[in-house]
Amino acid sequence: MVNQERLWQRLMALGEIGKQPSGGITRLSFTAEERAAKNLVRQWMIEAGLAVREDAVGNLIGRREGRDAGAAVVLAGSHLDSVLNGGNFDGPLGALSAVEAMQCMNEAGVQTDRPIEVIAFTDEEGARFRFGMIGSRALAGTLTLDELEATDSDGVRILDAMRQAGLNPAKISEAARSKGSVHAYVEVHIEQGKVLEQAGLPVGVVTGLAGPLWLKFTIIGQASHAGTTPMSMRHDALVGAAEILQVIEHETRKEERTVGTVGQFSVFPGGVNIIPGRVEFTLDLRDVDADTRQNVELRIRQQARQICDARGLALDVQVLQDIDPVHCSVDIQNTVYEACAALGLKAIPVVSGAGHDCMQLRDLCPVGMIFVRSKDGVSHHPDEWSSPEDCAAGAAVLYHTLLKLATV
Ligand SMILES: [Zn+2]
């Protein structure tokens, strides 16, 4: 159905752009590397018979007309940017699978009712500005000029980077799609986990994406002399924090899918012989179910409060980011299962612990994702790998899914 060799060769060719001597791929948004990647994919889109354009935020779009040019469009794609020293599959597989599916439809002379557009979103990863999903936010119409003030490590604002790339930030609203103009969005992506590998299956049907809640805990105690302050008279912020960390692990483990991570932790003043007077740490809490995540959050907050009260510590919890979990469209999930069945592939439901562009499109259109098996679950790393056969399986499932979604 799809041309495995062509898809693989394109993946490998794209992987040459931004390749680092130290290993891995670095393609940050609005850089020469990202530009080169988009130019190459543009050529393949043209080869696939698509009408290519770029929108106001730099999303690369290849359109294949349907019988009804005015019908709501079916969108499929992913992103071409990477993290620092990232892998070759996270993003490119989704964009190139969609190009491959379109090329195969043209080769087979297949006509669809709805138009289909392949999209390569601008900056999904957020690796450069610590603010990602820029292209999908713009498409959803939620990207604001204020958000374009975020800067990279050299102090360059998104605004400036866009201008340097020949884009006009004042026009970002032109990239927005109106409600009703997009029938569905589907993305092929590597799993970035081990569920499919352990199940021995090439593809999975994504049921939902866990939304990250980021909290910052600040615990204030009393810094004092480590030698002269008796244990009974201490207000040690670090010991309180240690207890809270255990609560976090305990409460998340009670749930099937909740994950909680303390990734940043600072102790002040940080002297060998000073009782810690202040501790700050972050918590990344995720679950695909919003209620479950909220319940876990509440239990953690309550117990953290009790621990601090008992130890005479002050506690402050600040919300840094709160993204709701996203449920994939059940209709699209069923369409993907049908596509798998048509190809003789067994597929299982999987949950995405990572965020993807479709999270930004949740209010614009129904969304769905097809996961492809990742070797050892490794991602955001030079060793990221999916086999040519598995990549082709993902593209073939996408082909059938798009065919069905584009039929009225
Ligand atoms: Zn990705």
Side-chain angles (χ1 to χ4, degrees), residues 301-314:
R301 278 178 181 260
Q302 274 168 4
Q303 291 173 65
R305 173 76 50 207
Q306 287 165 4
I307 289 164
C308 288
D309 285 351
R311 291 179 170 275
L313 305 167

Side-chain angles (χ1 to χ4, degrees), residues 7-270:
L7 174 62
W8 188 255
Q9 279 181 0
R10 285 175 178 171
L11 265 169
M12 294 304 111
L14 192 57
E16 292 299 315
I17 300 173
K19 204 173 205 174
Q20 301 299 298
S22 55
I25 290 160
T26 302
R27 276 197 303 266
L28 302 180
S29 55
F30 307 114
T31 61
E33 290 77 24
E34 194 207 32
R35 182 67 265 161
K38 281 180 176 168
N39 288 347
L40 191 55
V41 174
R42 170 187 279 268
Q43 280 177 32
W44 292 329
M45 282 178 167
I46 292 167
E47 239 177 76
L50 307 178
V52 188
R53 68 182 178 95
E54 282 186 36
D55 69 12
V57 77
N59 291 324
L60 176 68
I61 299 160
R63 181 177 171 102
R64 184 175 189 269
E65 280 308 335
R67 288 187 195 92
D68 180 0
V73 69
V74 176
L75 275 179
S78 194
H79 58 96
L80 302 178
D81 66 309
S82 76
V83 295
L84 292 167
N85 296 94
N88 194 20
F89 298 82
D90 176 355
L93 178 61
L96 297 181
S97 292
V99 172
E100 179 58 33
M102 293 303 94
Q103 193 154 356
C104 291
M105 278 188 200
N106 280 335
E107 285 166 353
V110 170
Q111 260 200 306
T112 58
D113 297 319
R114 299 181 185 283
I116 303 174
E117 289 184 4
V118 177
I119 187 159
F121 284 114
T122 293
D123 197 337
E124 188 270 348
E125 297 285 5
R128 180 171 176 189
F129 301 100
R130 278 150 300 186
F131 179 79
M133 303 185 191
I134 294 174
S136 48
R137 288 176 202 265
L139 197 91
T142 58
L143 185 66
T144 65
L145 277 173
D146 279 355
E147 289 170 329
L148 301 182
E149 294 288 332
T151 55
D152 67 11
S153 55
D154 295 326
V156 178
R157 296 176 303 170
I158 301 176
L159 279 171
D160 307 319
M162 284 181 73
R163 289 196 185 109
Q164 281 159 19
L167 297 162
N168 181 353
K171 290 189 172 177
I172 49 168
S173 61
E174 291 177 10
R177 303 290 178 104
S178 63
K179 249 187 191 154
S181 70
V182 182
H183 178 66
Y185 173 73
V186 192
E187 176 166 348
V188 171
H189 203 281
I190 53 165
E191 184 200 345
Q192 305 176 285
K194 294 181 183 177
V195 173
L196 291 172
E197 190 175 64
Q198 284 178 359
L201 297 172
V203 293
V205 183
V206 180
T207 55
L209 294 83
L213 170 70
W214 287 0
L215 300 177
K216 183 184 172 191
F217 287 71
T218 303
I219 298 163
I220 311 278
Q222 208 168 38
S224 60
H225 197 294
T228 60
T229 316
M231 295 307 285
S232 61
M233 292 175 69
R234 295 182 178 209
H235 300 289
D236 187 326
L238 179 56
V239 183
E243 254 194 273
I244 297 171
L245 259 53
Q246 294 200 338
V247 166
I248 290 168
E249 188 186 39
H250 183 69
E251 291 300 334
T252 47
R253 278 190 174 210
K254 277 185 190 168
E255 305 294 340
E256 195 188 334
R257 279 192 290 257
T258 310
V259 285
T261 306
V262 174
Q264 293 181 345
F265 196 101
S266 308
V267 182
F268 304 95

Side-chain angles (χ1 to χ4, degrees), residues 15 18 21 49 70 117 177 209 286 321 372 386 392:
E117 289 184 4
R177 303 290 178 104
L209 294 83
R286 301 181 191 218
Q321 172 175 263
V372 169
S386 294

